[in-house]
Amino acid sequence: MSDTSRRPRRTGKPYRRPQKDPVRILAFDALRAVDERDAYANLVLPPLLRKAREKGDFDGRDAALATELVYGTLRRQGTYDAIIAACVDRPLREVDPPVLDVLSLGVHQLLGTRIPTHAAVSASVELARVVLGDGRAKFVNAVLRKVAQDDLDGWIQRVAPPYEEDAEDHLAVVHSHPRWVVSALWDSLGGGRAGIEALLAADNERPEVTLVARPGRATTEELLGEEAAVAGRWSPYAVRLAEGGEPGAIEAVRDGRAGVQDEGSQLVALALANAPLDGSDERWLDGCAGPGGKAALLGALAAERGAVLLASEKQPHRAGLVAKALAGNPGPYQVIAADGTRPPWRGGIFDRVLMDVPCTGLGALRRRPEARWRRRPEDLEGFAPLQRALLRSALESVRVGGVVGYATCSPHLAETRAVVDDVMKERGSEVELIDARPLLPGVTELGEGPDVQLWPHVHGTDAMYLALIRRVG
Ligand SMILES: C[S@@+](CC[C@H](N)C(=O)[O-])C[C@H]1O[C@@H](n2cnc3c(N)ncnc32)[C@H](O)[C@@H]1O
């Protein structure tokens, strides 16, 4: 007689193996890496995609879908968390993070893509079965079925507080930004509801890829010959790639004559290079140069003038990236690893100095979908003394009559005007602000000056800030 006691008892439907969907599993793995290891999505994703391609699991469309699922889920996390919280019977912090990731991926498919409802739910349940087990897959199924009962607008109506009651909380949920970030961006932008809504919405858009044709090394005409390339908006060296354009496939990019660089960053370098000077224009300094995007453009511009560029960066491995970016520069340059607050160079010798200081990066949220959730208001206190010390050092380094460009890729007033105001006050009549606006010819809506703040929703660039300061004494 055979022993039947160990056979699984049939309690309902026959057991079916979960279906492994490589796209969703990869998206889940990327989200786990971002959550568990504080990884950056833009660094985690490419090697995962490469491996999947090598294994033959993926084609180009799969890679595009996986990328969209990861970026979309991370960007929209604030909105999706509020919706999930309304569909579970416990506080979100009591839901295991991997379960929350599967749920968020499911909500994004349901509310943020055109994937049909039944496909979004069943793909998420299958993913849950593979990565979480059958028990938790039932929970995922139950929550997503509730979410599927309404569309995104309907859910926002239900879960966001009314604008009239709490404008910042409303915008935080609708546009998926932490409340403190909404508040900081609004302080800097000023104006009413329309402007801040447009800015927050722009932060959730995928940015275009912009190239720079490094002068003397490549031309925009050459880059415009590439597939999907169109002229830049503002910088004479910029070329934009429409969706699908692959910078790595372009020869000029591969051999460093051109690079990938947001137009905001190009404008910062150009404005500093074009600021009026009396006397010599021979020595340029980039005091926070890593990874080297602005240094490469400054180096090429300096070469055209016969000036030499010193590019300095504190972290040795990032100084290595600067050296790579500058390799092949048509004029003289030097790259060093040095702390810009205790510089090894003599004071008062440079004609032009760029200090593109470390900052919260709140102006580049389009590019780093997880950054808004990782940053804390306390980070500002960490950056404040360093930003002031670096600006002081820049003003020590520049000669009398020379110009310093203080730049950030954050529009937070604590990192922009507050730093410039404080340090300028210390220096009294030895320094004066130059109007940076005429140095960005053709760029519209630059505010009252003399400093400039670029905006994604207005200029299509990162929210770069630039103050130009001349040392007069
Ligand atoms: C905003 S990034 C500069 C970006 C760069 N200008 C570009 O366009 O590629 C700031 C850089 O400053 C460096 N840094 C931080 N503290 C520094 C210090 N005390 N001295 C010099 N560089 C520093 C960081 O490592 C980082 O590479």
Side-chain angles (χ1 to χ4, degrees), residues 98-111:
V99 177
L100 206 47
D101 279 343
V102 172
L103 285 173
S104 306
L105 270 172
V107 175
H108 182 56
Q109 290 169 73
L110 282 169
L111 306 182

Side-chain angles (χ1 to χ4, degrees), residues 287-294 313-315 318 338-340 356-358 386:
C288 284
K294 293 184 197 71
E313 157 64 43
K314 185 175 180 189
Q315 292 191 33
R318 287 174 76 81
D339 182 343
D356 182 20
V357 298
L386 177 58

Side-chain angles (χ1 to χ4, degrees), residues 451-467:
D451 49 1
V452 294
Q453 177 61 67
L454 299 170
W455 294 107
H457 65 299
V458 178
H459 305 102
T461 64
D462 290 343
M464 293 294 306
Y465 170 82
L466 175 68

Side-chain angles (χ1 to χ4, degrees), residues 261 265 286-295 312-315 318 322 338-342 354-359 386 390 407-409:
Q261 186 172 44
S265 291
D286 182 348
C288 284
K294 293 184 197 71
S312 174
E313 157 64 43
K314 185 175 180 189
Q315 292 191 33
R318 287 174 76 81
V322 179
D339 182 343
T341 64
R342 289 182 298 142
L354 177 65
M355 273 298 168
D356 182 20
V357 298
C359 68
L386 177 58
L390 286 165
T408 65
C409 63

